Amino acid sequence: MIKGLIFDIEKYAIHDGPGIRTLVFFKGCPLNCLWCQNPESINPNPELSYKKSKCINCSKCSESCPEHAIIKNPRNFIKNKCKVQDGCRICSKACPSTALEIAGQEITVDELLTIILEDKEYYESSNGGVTCSGGEPTFQWSFVKKFLLACKSNGISTAIETCGYFNPQITEEIFEACDIVLFDLKHLDNKIHVKITGRQNEMILKNLENLISIFKDVDNKKIIIRMPLVPYNDSKQHLLRIEEFLIEKEIFSLVLLPYNSLYKQKLINFRLKRTKLKISSYSKEQLETIKNYFKNIEISIGG
Ligand code: SF4
Ligand code: SF4
C-alpha cells in the first residue's frame, strides 16, 4: 500500500488558502532555499529532532540506542551511525520528556483522510479545505494525488503549495486534483535563483506558464502567486520585473511572504546549517515602501 511521509499536520490554519484549512506537511523538496521556514522538510527521509530546553539529561536515549549513536545525551550525536532513516524510533520512544522527536511519519491515504474529515464542518462553513505543503508536495506526488482526489470525492476543497519544480508531465494531474495552487516564485534571474535555492528557475517558470494556461477561466479553480520576500529578491528593480512578468501572464495579484527568522531554532534542533541572512524581519515601513513599488497589480502581505 502506498504511504506518504509527513512531518506535521496543522489544523485551523487561515493563511494558506481561503477559509479554515488543515495543512499537511510532506517531507522532501528539490529546492534548498536559504530562508526555508521548514528546513526539516528538505530531506525526504525521517530525521531526529533534539530540543535541548526539554532535555532532563536522563541518558535514557543513549542507553537505549542499539547503534551507540548518542553518547550520554543527544548533544553528542553521531549522525552516520543513526538508523532513523531505516525506521528506528527507539530513542524517541525512550525519551520521557519529548526532547527527542522524529520528523517524518508514514501515513496511509485512509489514515490521513480520517484526520481531515474530523473538521469537515469548519471547511464547509468557511469555504476552506485541505492544503498540502512541505517540503514540496509534488515530491511525493503519487501519494498526494491519491489523497487529494480522496478529499475531493468527500466534498473537500483541495490546494497545494508548490515551489513549481516538478515534472511537467504531472501538470494535468495537478489540475485534476487541486482546486487551488499556491505557487511560490523566488527570483526571475536564473543565476540568483540558483544561488538562493540551489536550482535553476527555467522549469519552474515553464510549469507556471502551463498551469496558468490550463487554470485560466475555469470556475472554482485558481492559482495564487506568492513570493517569499527576502533580501535577495526585494530590490525595486526586481520587484518591478516581477510585476511586469505577472501582467504579461494576465495575473494581477501577488501575495508577498516577508522573511522571518523563526526557523532558526529548527536549524539547531535538527543540526542543520544555513548561510545567515542579514535581517531578522521587515518593518511595517519597509513593507509599505515595497508595496508602493507596485502600481498595476494588487499586493497583499501573507505569512
Ligand atoms: S533513531 Fe535509533 S539509531 Fe538513531 S539515535 Fe535513536 S535509537 Fe539510535
Ligand atoms: S532521553 Fe530525552 S530527556 Fe533523556 S537525555 Fe535523552 S533527550 Fe534528554
Side-chain angles (χ1 to χ4, degrees), residues 19 71 76 83 90 133 147 158 174 218 230 240 248 260 296:
I71 303 161
N76 299 309
K83 296 282 182 281
I90 294 170
S133 183
F147 165 62
T158 56
I174 292 175
V218 178
V230 289
L240 292 181
E248 259 174 33
N260 72 63
N296 301 301

Side-chain angles (χ1 to χ4, degrees), residues 235-297:
S235 70
K236 184 174 182 180
Q237 186 196 27
H238 180 249
L239 294 173
L240 292 181
R241 247 180 97 189
I242 287 276
E243 182 177 51
E244 200 181 308
F245 171 85
L246 292 177
I247 290 171
E248 259 174 33
K249 311 241 164 320
E250 295 181 35
I251 301 272
F252 298 100
S253 62
L254 172 67
V255 181
L256 293 175
L257 306 170
Y259 169 83
N260 72 63
S261 57
L262 295 175
Y263 67 98
K264 286 187 176 167
Q265 187 56 46
K266 288 188 176 182
L267 295 178
I268 296 167
N269 296 348
F270 286 92
R271 308 168 186 82
L272 299 168
K273 290 200 166 58
R274 282 279 185 292
T275 305
K276 281 190 182 139
L277 276 74
K278 288 189 189 101
I279 60 164
S280 57
S281 63
Y282 287 91
S283 67
K284 267 189 183 174
E285 292 73 26
Q286 283 172 310
L287 291 176
E288 208 43 49
T289 304
I290 285 169
K291 267 178 96 169
N292 285 333
Y293 293 157
F294 297 87
K295 301 292 180 214
N296 301 301
I297 63 173

Side-chain angles (χ1 to χ4, degrees), residues 50 54-61 72-74 94-97 99-100:
Y50 170 55
K54 287 190 169 183
C55 179
I56 55 171
N57 288 311
C58 67
S59 299
K60 287 199 170 140
C61 51
K72 198 162 160 52
N73 76 37
C95 177
S97 67
L100 263 186

